[in-house]
């Protein structure tokens, strides 16, 4: 693996005597150690270890181990270095709103047909399209973003050699996702003695915590205060703003405008006037109230009739 400390072993079995000379054909900085292990038959196994830090320019180098006694033809073995690079993941370069599909690319240099595995959080994700070329492997994965992805991450992994640690790279969804807020206006109070009413604009479920809010009254900008955002359990944010408006008999439109990244606007508008600012009673409530009044009236008339009949009989 690129950047790792590699230990290349050259093992010679059944040699005697043990002072056989072992050399490495190398063109880079390294260290060498050698030891011998004696067997019951008196022969030895001699092992030479060449240690070096794996670098990019070592990819494809042929490394030869040569061993022999003075005056005799040496024996040798050759291996071609395969430098495997750690996986590197790439995702969107700008913010993408939830509901859209984004592409991720994972590359691992060094080996052809390296197995690349994708994970979303701790769950393996299928559907990655693998491609290989002479110097490595690439995998592409498409994912549709949801609000729950804010706290999650995407991983790509390649197998480790001989049971070693699994090299991986990760990318947090929070670095490129954005969630559109829900914006609603509510009237908080009736007009006071100066015909002033308060309106409340609630902005909920947005991400990231980077928005601008303004009020428009008939297209004219009003000054207001945006309160500090609070973080929701799902990772999104919520906040609100208040404004006082003079209410007249003329119907006017009040709009709350929320601007996100990339000048994406979300708005909500209400119309108001003194005529419409009174008590707005739902029709179903009026119907029930009328029905109750009729029942009370009928009941009272019945009771009165019973009393009159009782008095008449006594007489």
């Amino acid at each position: 693996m690129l950047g790792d400390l590699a230990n290349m072993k050259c093992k010679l079995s059944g040699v005697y005597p043990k002072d056989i000379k072992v050399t490495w054909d190398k063109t880079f900085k390294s260290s060498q150690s050698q030891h011998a292990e004696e067997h019951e038959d008196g022969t030895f196994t001699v092992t030479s270890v060449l240690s070096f830090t794996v670098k990019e320019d070592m990819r494809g180098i042929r490394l030869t181990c040569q061993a022999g006694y003075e005056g005799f033809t040496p024996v040798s073995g050759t291996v071609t270095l395969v430098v495997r690079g750690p996986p590197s993941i790439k995702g969107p370069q700008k913010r993408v709103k939830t509901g859209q599909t984004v592409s991720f690319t994972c590359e691992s240099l060094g080996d052809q047909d390296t197995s690349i595995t994708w994970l979303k959080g701790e769950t393996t994700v299928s559907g990655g399209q693998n491609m290989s070329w002479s110097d490595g492997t690439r995998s592409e994965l498409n994912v549709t973003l949801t609000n729950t992805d804010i706290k999650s991450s995407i991983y790509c992994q390649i197998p480790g050699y001989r049971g070693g640690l699994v090299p991986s790279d990760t990318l947090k969804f929070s670095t490129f996702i954005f969630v559109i807020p829900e914006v609603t206006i509510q009237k908080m109070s009736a007009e006071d003695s100066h015909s002033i009413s308060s309106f409340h604009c609630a902005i909920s479920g947005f991400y990231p915590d980077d928005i601008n809010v303004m009020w428009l009254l008939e297209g004219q900008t009003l000054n207001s205060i945006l309160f500090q955002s609070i973080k929701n359990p799902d990772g999104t944010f919520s906040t609100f703003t208040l404004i006082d408006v003079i209410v007249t008999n003329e119907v006017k439109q009040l709009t709350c405008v929320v601007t996100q990244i990339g000048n994406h606007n979300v708005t909500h508008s209400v119309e108001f006037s003194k005529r419409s600012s009174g008590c707005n009673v739902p029709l179903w409530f009026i119907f029930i109230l009328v029905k109750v009044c009729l029942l009370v009236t009928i009941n009272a008339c019945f009771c009165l009739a019973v009393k009159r009949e009782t008095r008449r009989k006594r007489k």
Side-chain angles (χ1 to χ4, degrees):
M1 183 69 65
L2 187 66
D4 288 350
L5 179 65
N7 294 306
M8 305 296 294
K9 293 182 179 180
C10 182
K11 183 178 287 188
L12 303 127
S13 302
V15 300
Y16 187 87
K18 66 178 181 180
D19 55 349
I20 188 171
K21 185 178 181 181
V22 182
T23 59
W24 293 84
D25 176 22
K26 61 185 185 304
T27 58
F28 47 82
K29 185 177 180 181
S30 62
S31 61
Q32 183 178 341
S33 61
Q34 183 172 318
H35 67 276
E37 180 184 355
E38 186 175 7
H39 300 290
E40 292 181 358
D41 62 0
T43 62
F44 293 87
T45 294
V46 177
T47 304
S48 177
V49 180
L50 183 71
S51 301
F52 56 90
T53 300
V54 181
K55 297 181 179 179
E56 182 73 30
D57 57 4
M58 294 179 182
R59 182 175 287 118
I61 287 180
R62 292 173 61 84
L63 191 60
T64 300
C65 169
Q66 191 173 55
Y69 297 102
E70 187 175 352
F72 292 88
T73 303
V75 293
S76 64
T78 301
V79 66
T80 301
L81 294 182
V82 176
V83 179
R84 174 186 280 183
S88 175
I89 188 171
K90 294 180 180 179
Q93 301 301 307
K94 60 181 181 179
R95 294 277 179 181
V96 182
K97 66 181 178 180
T98 53
Q100 294 186 334
T101 300
V102 295
S103 296
F104 299 96
T105 302
C106 181
E107 288 186 353
S108 176
L109 301 178
D111 285 356
Q112 281 185 304
D113 301 321
T114 296
S115 174
I116 295 179
T117 303
W118 291 94
L119 294 94
K120 186 178 178 183
E122 298 181 355
T123 305
T124 301
V125 180
S126 59
Q129 302 296 318
N130 292 343
M131 298 163 282
S132 298
W133 69 100
S134 59
D135 291 331
T137 302
R138 176 189 294 114
S139 180
E140 293 184 356
L141 179 71
N142 293 326
V143 176
T144 300
L145 301 179
T146 66
N147 289 16
T148 58
D149 290 331
I150 294 174
K151 290 186 172 183
S152 186
S153 298
I154 191 80
Y155 300 84
C156 70
Q157 297 179 340
I158 61 174
Y161 283 123
R162 299 183 180 179
L165 295 175
V166 180
S168 64
D169 194 18
T170 181
L171 188 62
K172 294 182 178 180
F173 282 98
S174 59
T175 60
F176 56 82
I177 197 173
F178 88 87
V179 185
I180 298 173
E182 181 180 351
V183 181
T184 55
I185 297 177
Q186 289 184 335
K187 189 175 181 181
M188 300 300 295
S189 66
E191 303 90 53
D192 59 15
S193 59
H194 300 286
S195 297
I196 295 178
S197 289
S198 295
F199 289 85
H200 171 279
C201 179
I203 306 124
S204 58
F206 60 91
Y207 188 88
D209 186 16
D210 183 15
I211 60 171
N212 291 317
V213 181
M214 67 176 178
W215 288 92
L216 297 178
L217 179 60
E218 293 295 305
Q220 300 296 315
T221 303
L222 303 178
N223 294 324
S224 63
I225 298 175
L226 180 64
F227 289 81
Q228 185 175 0
S229 301
I230 59 171
K231 194 170 186 178
N232 301 317
D234 62 358
T236 61
F237 293 89
S238 295
T239 187
F240 67 94
T241 180
L242 298 173
I243 197 164
D244 292 332
V245 179
I246 297 176
V247 180
T248 65
N249 290 331
E250 181 183 359
V251 177
K252 293 183 179 180
Q253 185 181 71
L254 182 65
T255 303
C256 181
V257 183
V258 180
T259 304
Q260 282 185 289
I261 297 168
N263 295 323
H264 180 84
N265 290 339
V266 183
T267 65
H268 184 229
S269 300
V270 294
E271 291 185 342
F272 66 94
S273 68
K274 274 191 176 181
R275 295 172 184 172
S276 64
S277 63
C279 180
N280 296 320
V281 181
L283 290 176
W284 61 267
F285 183 80
I286 296 175
F287 175 78
I288 292 176
L289 183 62
V290 171
K291 188 174 182 181
V292 170
C293 291
L294 286 174
L295 289 174
V296 171
T297 303
I298 293 171
N299 186 57
C301 292
F302 177 77
C303 292
L304 183 60
V306 170
K307 287 181 179 180
R308 287 178 176 177
E309 182 64 21
T310 303
R311 289 177 183 174
R312 187 182 66 79
K313 289 181 179 180
R314 287 177 179 176
K315 290 179 179 180

